[in-house]
């Protein structure tokens, strides 16, 4: 029997290995940006087209490479970051595996231009599917420019499973944010399809976060600072009142490297116990500096999973640091020894106090008979005469005489002779609407019923006719991250069909002048947040599918919530509108709207 185990060809092995490092365009962006950071660059430019599927280009002003190093950089397990196994526990660089460039070159067309400070000429290197097609000297500025085109050109199965451009762009933006936050000492630019999304100057940590997330973020941040032998913690947490239901604004950095750590996340969450609304998540940007030999980064090719020597102590320190920061800024601190009546607001501490002024009317004569009729000056204070307690209740027996007879007769029919009174409709637990039927009882979920009604109305406005808009007396301004503003701009036409009227301003501001008539102003941030969040999912490109998702998302945010009290008239109107819908039994997500409990089923409960 012949042998069956064979050594795979290099190009096949390279494609398999590339799958561990490069899952999507965002993986390439992460590796190239980190290489530029390791090269000591102070300015980095990221350029992408078609969400990285066509072009990913990174330009830096780092130290560059020689001709030999440029060629060696694309060999597997070739790196300048470490020399032996002991270096894995004393890492000072982002990369150390020597796999990133080799993996990228195996599945794309790569062009590299690089030049060192001391060299007169640089090097250009062109690779297609791990094969070098050109290498020669070239005139190029100091630093490195690497361009990745036609990603996954020789792995069509992997390219087929890429998500939509919106989803891939969001993932690239996330990777850009992580690198940018960890290195505020580096200026970064990000351009997508010839549109500049970010231009971040060199700054400190707080200013970098504000430049990325928007100017309004500055007032939402609480500084966190703690220094121990085990770890030094710096960064910021968000004030509880600004917490969101999404989990996007949660960043841990260990030695300037972004990580994901559920255990430490629980430490931060537990520090917010009792401060957050239900299902809201805390916002945090925490930078941990630990000894290099106390953390193991060599666990996963993405390097976002790490192991610590003493996780339990680290958990306690992180939790205590966040709790102390929140308490220090009077968010959850309660001082039982403080005298509240002597507490002076901060804004009044620098104001000069003035002596009280006493004004007296010299012409006032309490014995003058025409005093009250002839003068209309400010009256002096007079103490009311004491009254017996029985006088407080005097006239209660005859209070019915104060009601006009005509008013009484007009009120009675509206209370007792209503045409809809026979429907016997009422609200249960501020969540369900109960209505009696000939055959039994109808139980309607008020939130889902209203959601179904709004969904059909909004979908009709988007696809058939323009929705009614209510103009705001004072425009509502929202400060959003740049990428979220871009998403709203893409959806502007569809949102305007539902009744929104808005425009984008400078400094990541969105000014809203009009709202759909069913939407309350206080619910606008929540609804738009849900629209942005859902638009980042992988959706079909067909316009109807996008309109359907938009209508469903807005309806979910605008619908009356469980726990809200409803009047008799509002409940009857809701029931009438529900059964006028084309599909009244299910929501847009396929959830049941109502159930019918018959008399027979109730009888069975007593048998």
């Amino acid at each position: 029997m012949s042998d069956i185990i064979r050594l795979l060809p290099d190009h096949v092995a390279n494609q398999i290995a590339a799958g561990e490092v490069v899952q999507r365009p965002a993986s390439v962006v992460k590796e190239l940006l980190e290489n530029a950071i390791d090269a000591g660059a102070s300015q980095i430019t990221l350029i992408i087209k078609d969400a990285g599927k066509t072009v990913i280009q990174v330009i830096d002003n780092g130290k560059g490479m020689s001709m030999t190093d440029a060629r060696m950089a694309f060999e597997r397990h070739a790196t300048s970051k470490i020399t032996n196994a002991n270096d894995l526990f004393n890492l000072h660089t982002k990369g150390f595996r020597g796999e990133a460039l080799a993996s990228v070159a195996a599945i794309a067309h790569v062009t590299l231009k690089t030049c060192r400070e001391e060299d007169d000429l640089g090097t250009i290197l062109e690779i297609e599917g791990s094969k070098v097609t050109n290498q020669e000297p070239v005139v190029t500025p100091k630093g490195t420019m690497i361009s990745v085109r036609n990603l996954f050109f020789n792995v069509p199965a992997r390219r087929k499973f890429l998500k939509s451009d919106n989803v891939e762009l969001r993932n690239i933006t996330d990777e850009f944010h992580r690198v940018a936050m960890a290195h505020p000492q580096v200026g970064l630019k990000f351009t997508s399809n010839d549109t500049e999304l970010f231009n971040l100057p060199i700054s400190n940590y707080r200013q970098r976060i504000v430049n990325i997330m928007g100017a309004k973020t500055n007032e939402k941040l609480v500084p966190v600072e703690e220094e121990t032998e085990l770890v030094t913690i710096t960064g910021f947490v968000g004030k509880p009142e600004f917490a969101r239901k999404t989990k996007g604004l949660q960043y841990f950095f260990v030695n300037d490297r972004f990580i994901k750590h559920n255990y430490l996340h629980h430490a931060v969450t537990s520090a917010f116990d009792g401060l957050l609304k239900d299902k809201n998540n805390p916002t945090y940007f925490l930078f941990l500096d630990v000894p290099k030999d106390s953390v193991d980064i060599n666990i996963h090719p993405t390097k976002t999973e790490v192991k610590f020597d003493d996780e339990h102590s680290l958990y306690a320190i992180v939790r205590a640091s966040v709790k102390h920061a929140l308490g220090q800024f009077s968010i959850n601190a309660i001082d039982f020894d403080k005298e509240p009546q002597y507490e002076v607001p901060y804004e009044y501490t620098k104001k000069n106090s003035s002596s009280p002024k006493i004004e007296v009317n010299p012409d006032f004569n309490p014995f003058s008979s025409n005093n009250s009729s002839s003068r209309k000056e400010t009256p002096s204070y007079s103490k009311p005469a004491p009254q017996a307690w029985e006088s407080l209740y005097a006239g209660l027996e005859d209070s019915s005489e104060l009601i006009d007879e005509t008013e009484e007769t007009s009120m009675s029919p509206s209370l007792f002779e209503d045409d809809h009174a026979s429907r016997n409709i009422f609200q249960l637990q501020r969540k369900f609407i109960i209505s009696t039927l000939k055959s039994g009882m109808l139980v309607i979920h008020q939130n889902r019923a209203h959601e179904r009604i709004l969904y059909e109305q909004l979908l009709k406005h988007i696809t058939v006719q323009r929705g009614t808009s209510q103009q705001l007396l004072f425009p509502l301004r929202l400060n959003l991250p740049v990428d979220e503003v871009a998403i709203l701009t893409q959806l502007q036409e569809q949102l305007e069909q539902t009744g929104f009227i808005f425009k984008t301003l400078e400094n990541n501001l969105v000014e809203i002048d009009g709202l759909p008539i069913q939407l309350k102003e206080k619910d606008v941030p929540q609804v738009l947040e849900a629209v942005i969040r859902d638009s980042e999912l992988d959706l079909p490109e067909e316009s109807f599918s996008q309109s359907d998702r938009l209508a469903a998302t807005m309806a979910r945010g605008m619908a009356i919530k469980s726990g809200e009290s409803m009047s008799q008239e509002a409940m009857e109107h809701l029931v009438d509108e529900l059964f006028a819908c084309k599909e009244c039994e299910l929501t847009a997500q396929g959830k049941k709207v109502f159930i019918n409990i018959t008399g027979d089923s109730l009888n069975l409960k007593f048998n």
Side-chain angles (χ1 to χ4, degrees):
M1 186 174 180
S2 60
D3 298 330
I4 60 174
I5 297 178
R6 302 181 183 86
L7 189 66
L8 289 174
D10 287 343
H11 70 280
V12 177
N14 288 342
Q15 290 184 14
I16 294 173
E20 299 179 358
V21 181
V22 183
Q23 291 94 24
R24 60 199 327 162
S27 306
V28 178
V29 170
K30 173 182 181 293
E31 299 294 345
L32 298 185
L33 289 177
E34 290 184 348
N35 281 347
I37 296 291
D38 288 340
S42 61
Q43 292 291 335
I44 301 174
T45 300
L46 169 64
I47 301 171
I48 66 169
K49 289 187 178 180
D50 301 328
K53 298 173 184 177
T54 303
V55 172
I56 300 172
Q57 189 176 59
V58 173
I59 305 169
D60 68 69
N61 63 347
K63 56 189 176 184
M65 292 179 282
S66 66
M67 181 176 291
T68 304
D69 286 345
R71 182 67 176 265
M72 284 294 295
F74 289 93
E75 297 295 329
R76 191 162 299 281
H77 306 303
T79 181
S80 62
K81 315 296 174 62
I82 62 174
T83 57
N84 55 61
N86 292 331
D87 291 340
L88 291 174
F89 298 97
N90 191 27
L91 292 172
H92 296 82
T93 58
K94 301 292 183 188
F96 55 87
R97 293 174 177 271
E99 292 181 325
L101 291 180
S103 298
V104 173
I107 53 176
H109 296 166
V110 179
T111 301
L112 172 73
K113 289 184 180 180
T114 183
C115 182
R116 298 183 298 182
E117 180 72 36
E118 62 270 22
D119 294 337
D120 295 329
L121 290 176
T123 301
I124 182 171
L125 186 66
E126 296 178 353
I127 303 176
E128 296 181 3
S130 296
K131 296 180 181 179
V132 178
T133 59
N134 181 36
Q135 181 177 4
E136 60 185 3
V138 69
V139 176
T140 184
K142 176 208 168 186
T144 301
M145 185 282 293
I146 183 166
S147 178
V148 179
R149 294 172 287 109
N150 303 325
L151 191 64
F152 299 123
F153 80 100
N154 54 355
V155 192
R158 179 64 67 87
R159 189 176 181 88
K160 175 184 176 182
F161 285 103
L162 289 178
K163 306 296 184 181
S164 65
D165 284 358
N166 281 340
V167 175
E168 297 300 342
L169 178 60
R170 179 63 181 181
N171 285 301
I172 291 173
T173 305
D174 287 343
E175 294 294 348
F176 179 83
H177 285 172
R178 294 166 184 174
V179 174
M181 285 184 195
H183 301 277
Q185 73 280 6
V186 179
L188 291 104
K189 293 182 180 180
F190 179 15
T191 301
S192 172
N193 293 338
D194 300 323
T195 301
E196 186 179 87
L197 298 183
F198 294 94
N199 188 353
L200 307 176
I202 296 173
S203 59
N204 55 31
Y205 284 115
R206 187 180 192 120
Q207 190 60 47
R208 177 55 58 91
I209 293 171
V210 171
N211 288 338
I212 292 174
M213 299 300 171
K216 290 288 185 181
T217 308
N218 190 40
E219 64 188 38
K220 304 176 184 178
L221 300 179
V222 176
V224 179
E225 292 184 6
E226 192 66 45
E227 185 173 354
T228 66
E229 294 181 357
L230 183 63
V231 60
T232 299
I233 302 176
T234 57
F236 306 90
V237 294
K239 296 178 181 178
E241 59 264 32
F242 297 110
R244 305 169 65 179
K245 292 188 177 181
T246 56
K247 297 182 179 181
L249 301 181
Q250 297 174 344
Y251 294 88
F252 271 120
F253 299 91
V254 173
N255 298 344
D256 292 335
R257 184 191 302 274
F258 173 80
I259 67 164
K260 295 178 180 178
H261 206 285
N262 292 332
Y263 193 50
L264 293 183
H265 170 73
H266 186 272
V268 177
T269 304
S270 62
F272 278 85
D273 279 348
L275 298 176
L276 300 177
K277 296 180 181 178
D278 186 33
K279 296 182 181 180
N280 278 9
N281 296 284
T283 296
Y284 55 83
F285 310 88
L286 296 179
F287 302 85
L288 281 61
D289 189 5
V290 301
K292 304 292 190 299
D293 57 354
S294 68
V295 58
D296 184 9
I297 301 169
N298 190 27
I299 295 176
H300 192 273
T302 60
K303 309 184 190 78
T304 57
E305 299 178 17
V306 298
K307 294 275 188 186
F308 295 100
D309 281 351
D310 192 353
E311 288 188 342
H312 295 289
S313 298
L314 199 60
Y315 178 98
I317 295 172
V318 170
R319 183 176 182 273
S321 301
V322 175
K323 232 175 171 25
H324 175 70
L326 294 173
Q328 185 178 4
F329 283 83
S330 302
I331 292 175
N332 66 342
I334 301 176
D335 189 351
F336 294 98
D337 298 327
K338 184 182 291 185
E339 295 289 345
Q341 60 268 32
Y342 300 124
E343 190 173 348
V344 179
Y346 178 77
E347 59 268 20
Y348 288 95
T349 56
K350 297 182 180 180
K351 292 185 177 181
N352 296 324
S353 59
S354 57
S355 301
K357 296 181 180 180
I358 302 176
E359 295 183 0
V360 178
N361 183 7
D363 298 327
F364 177 74
N365 184 359
F367 301 100
S368 175
S369 60
N370 59 352
N371 182 69
S372 58
S373 59
S374 61
R375 294 184 180 90
K376 295 185 179 181
E377 290 88 353
T378 304
S380 299
Y381 173 78
S382 61
K383 185 176 180 180
Q387 293 181 337
W389 67 269
E390 294 90 343
S391 64
L392 299 175
Y393 299 92
L396 287 180
E397 298 81 5
D398 301 328
S399 59
S400 58
E401 298 177 359
L402 300 176
I403 303 176
D404 188 10
E405 292 183 359
T406 57
E407 182 181 355
E408 184 178 4
T409 55
S410 63
M411 290 169 59
S412 299
S414 64
L415 292 176
F416 303 104
E417 297 179 7
D418 190 358
D419 294 334
H420 297 282
S422 60
R423 294 178 64 169
N424 294 328
I425 189 170
F426 61 93
Q427 191 179 25
L428 177 65
Q429 297 179 345
R430 295 188 177 182
K431 184 176 182 179
F432 304 103
I433 296 175
I434 312 297
S435 179
T436 56
L437 302 172
K438 292 182 180 179
S439 59
M441 181 171 59
L442 189 68
V443 182
I444 302 172
H445 195 294
Q446 68 182 35
N447 171 260
R448 295 180 183 179
H450 196 208
E451 182 182 328
R452 181 68 209 186
I453 295 167
L454 290 174
Y455 165 73
E456 292 199 4
Q457 291 177 353
L458 289 169
L459 189 60
K460 181 179 180 181
H461 293 329
I462 296 173
T463 57
V464 180
Q465 63 184 20
R466 191 180 184 89
T468 305
S469 177
Q470 55 178 340
Q471 299 293 317
L472 297 179
L473 183 60
F474 301 103
L476 178 64
R477 289 192 174 188
L478 300 178
N479 187 280
L480 303 172
V482 176
D483 50 332
E484 294 187 2
V485 174
I487 292 175
L488 288 181
T489 303
Q490 293 177 1
L491 298 173
Q492 184 166 2
E493 182 178 353
Q494 293 171 312
L495 288 171
E496 288 180 347
Q497 288 292 107
T498 66
F500 275 101
I501 300 175
F502 69 94
K503 58 186 176 182
T504 57
L505 306 175
E506 295 181 356
N507 300 323
N508 310 341
L509 284 176
V510 176
E511 185 177 87
I512 301 175
D513 297 315
L515 301 176
I517 198 166
Q518 307 94 336
L519 181 60
K520 299 176 182 177
E521 187 173 341
K522 66 181 180 66
D523 295 332
V524 172
Q526 178 185 351
V527 171
L528 291 183
E529 179 185 338
V531 168
I532 293 170
R533 185 174 64 247
D534 284 1
S535 69
E536 295 166 359
L537 302 176
D538 185 26
L539 302 177
E541 297 296 335
E542 291 82 4
S543 59
F544 178 78
S545 300
Q546 294 177 354
S547 301
D548 181 80
R549 174 57 66 98
L550 178 61
T553 303
M554 290 185 60
R556 191 167 62 249
M558 295 165 59
I560 184 173
K561 303 297 184 290
S562 297
E564 293 188 26
S565 179
M566 297 183 66
S567 65
Q568 185 82 8
E569 183 181 359
M571 288 188 289
E572 293 173 356
H573 182 68
L574 184 71
V575 173
D576 292 340
E577 285 198 326
L578 173 63
F579 289 100
C581 292
K582 294 180 179 178
E583 168 58 67
C584 60
E585 295 185 4
L586 301 174
T587 66
Q589 288 77 30
K591 296 180 180 179
K592 188 173 291 187
V593 174
F594 64 85
I595 59 174
N596 186 8
I597 303 176
T598 63
D600 294 338
S601 63
L602 287 175
N603 286 329
L604 292 176
K605 297 290 183 182
F606 293 92
N607 294 334

